[in-house]
Amino acid sequence: QAKRQGHNHVQIYQDSMSLQFKSSAAMRSSLQEAIEKNQLTLHYQPIVRCNDGATIGYEALLRWEREPGKFISPTEFIPLAEMTGQIIPLSEWVFRRACEAAVKLQEHGPCKMAVNLSTLHFNRTEFTPFLEQTLEETGCKPEWLELELTESILMENTDYAVEVLQNLRNKNITISLDDFGTGFSSLSYLKRLPVDKVKIDRSFIAGIRTHRSDRVLIGSVIKIAQSLDFAVVAEGVETPQQAEFVTELGCNYMQGFYFGRPVPLEEL
Ligand code: C2E
Ligand code: MG
Ligand code: MG
Ligand code: MG
């Protein structure tokens, strides 16, 4: 069943990419080229604290500039890179760059760097040694690094994932659960995760104005998460009204276009 879904997924993906690539093979060699030709960059988006608006960190977001000024969205190429395995060198590149940026940013005051973690990369037994080596080589302290993972990582191999994450947390790396609310988490499941923060998916924030159900849900998620000692981040905050709303509900941190779009390091 999983395999069949996987194939279907490839089909759907090829269709949506067909304007840019004739086949997944073309996409594959093009991605290889992207790595070799330095067409990849990281952009950084601020994450602010609700109670005083201070920027406490940044999320590193991958960009593929296929031609000058023409960016391909990570939501398009990351799923394919996960399937071809190219995500491994890609993700290693991201971590190295993000750690270097984290070191540079410390000159302007303490801050964290959040990096999105690929499921495939995480499931490699070499992930923890890779990360330790990268931190050491770049001079990035573990407490500056935050790993953003999605529920799929935890669903696939729970015992293994819990153990690895607990180990990383013991080294003072922060663990965040990304896109919270879009997956299948139950509360009992959430309780046993070695997670420091949950990031409420931006689809809920977008519905604040129009959907009472989203407003009620956000309030409940914040309360439950905080009662389990997780900090809460609201994703996709685009307006002052949304910022005020989640702040009043006791949310800890916010991220979104209202505070800043993802930009290259030089622009921060
Ligand atoms: P994500 O980790 O949930 O990242 C947040 C996404 O929301 C980013 O999209 C960001 O640009 C966008 N965003 C931030 N604020 C707002 C807002 O106020 N309004 C709206 N409409 N959007 C906002 P982006 O950069 O296109 O990345 C999409 C996804 O691709 C990420 O979702 C993440 O899952 C994945 N991704 C990005 N970079 C990497 C990476 O280096 N490695 C891995 N494995 N995945 C990555
Ligand atoms: Mg993220
Ligand atoms: Mg997210
Ligand atoms: Mg997302």
Side-chain angles (χ1 to χ4, degrees):
Q1 176 70 14
K3 207 166 180 189
R4 275 194 54 180
Q5 279 176 355
H7 280 299
N8 290 340
H9 192 70
V10 174
Q11 260 344 102
I12 291 161
Y13 194 70
Q14 282 178 355
D15 288 344
S16 75
M17 291 296 287
S18 61
L19 288 177
Q20 306 198 45
F21 298 98
K22 291 281 181 320
S23 66
S24 69
M27 169 89 178
R28 191 189 170 115
S29 65
S30 196
L31 241 168
Q32 187 58 41
E33 227 181 81
I35 299 170
E36 286 159 11
K37 287 190 180 166
N38 281 325
Q39 293 174 344
L40 299 172
T41 46
L42 283 184
H43 284 189
Y44 303 89
Q45 185 179 34
I47 301 172
V48 306
R49 190 161 52 207
C50 290
N51 55 27
D52 60 1
T55 297
I56 56 109
Y58 301 89
E59 178 174 2
L61 294 157
L62 188 56
R63 299 288 178 262
W64 177 6
E65 196 169 7
R66 203 164 162 243
E67 287 157 40
K70 221 184 126 201
F71 291 95
I72 302 178
S73 164
T75 55
E76 294 202 53
F77 65 87
I78 283 175
L80 189 80
E82 288 257 1
M83 278 185 268
T84 62
Q86 285 169 306
I87 192 71
I88 304 291
L90 215 65
S91 182
E92 289 184 349
W93 181 90
V94 167
F95 272 97
R96 202 158 292 126
R97 271 303 156 85
C99 287
E100 288 167 0
V103 173
K104 277 193 195 139
L105 286 165
Q106 302 304 313
E107 292 167 19
H108 307 277
C111 71
K112 281 187 188 288
M113 179 61 69
V115 180
N116 292 286
L117 186 49
S118 133
T119 306
L120 197 67
H121 197 186
F122 177 76
N123 284 339
R124 288 207 147 190
T125 48
E126 306 89 0
F127 178 70
T128 301
F130 159 78
L131 203 55
E132 285 172 334
Q133 192 187 340
T134 305
L135 290 172
E136 196 178 317
E137 285 173 3
T138 57
C140 180
K141 292 197 179 148
E143 52 267 39
W144 299 340
L145 185 65
E146 186 167 321
L147 297 179
E148 293 198 1
L149 45 113
T150 52
E151 289 166 47
S152 64
I153 286 186
L154 299 153
M155 301 290 288
E156 271 173 31
N157 202 341
T158 312
D159 290 341
Y160 169 74
V162 167
E163 194 188 312
V164 173
L165 292 174
Q166 191 55 61
N167 175 23
L168 294 170
R169 251 182 118 199
N170 291 343
K171 301 185 200 303
N172 288 325
I173 293 171
T174 304
I175 311 292
S176 293
L177 193 55
D178 207 349
D179 304 338
F180 187 70
T182 57
F184 306 95
S185 318
S186 71
L187 297 176
S188 57
Y189 158 83
L190 191 62
K191 194 178 65 185
R192 55 178 289 247
L193 295 181
V195 162
D196 302 286
K197 291 183 185 173
V198 297
K199 299 185 81 172
I200 303 178
D201 192 70
R202 68 175 140 91
S203 57
F204 296 103
I205 312 300
I208 278 177
R209 244 176 57 106
T210 42
H211 300 290
R212 199 186 97 84
S213 56
D214 281 338
R215 286 195 293 276
V216 173
L217 222 65
I218 291 169
S220 313
V221 168
I222 293 173
K223 279 208 196 79
I224 291 163
Q226 289 175 341
S227 71
L228 294 170
D229 284 332
F230 302 137
V232 181
V233 188
E235 281 190 321
V237 174
E238 295 183 352
T239 67
Q241 291 81 11
Q242 289 169 340
E244 195 182 330
F245 183 80
V246 296
T247 301
E248 270 171 18
L249 285 175
C251 190
N252 306 92
Y253 307 102
M254 300 180 276
Q255 179 180 355
F257 295 166
Y258 178 57
F259 303 102
R261 287 181 181 261
V263 292
L265 190 61
E266 314 84 72
E267 276 179 50
L268 275 186

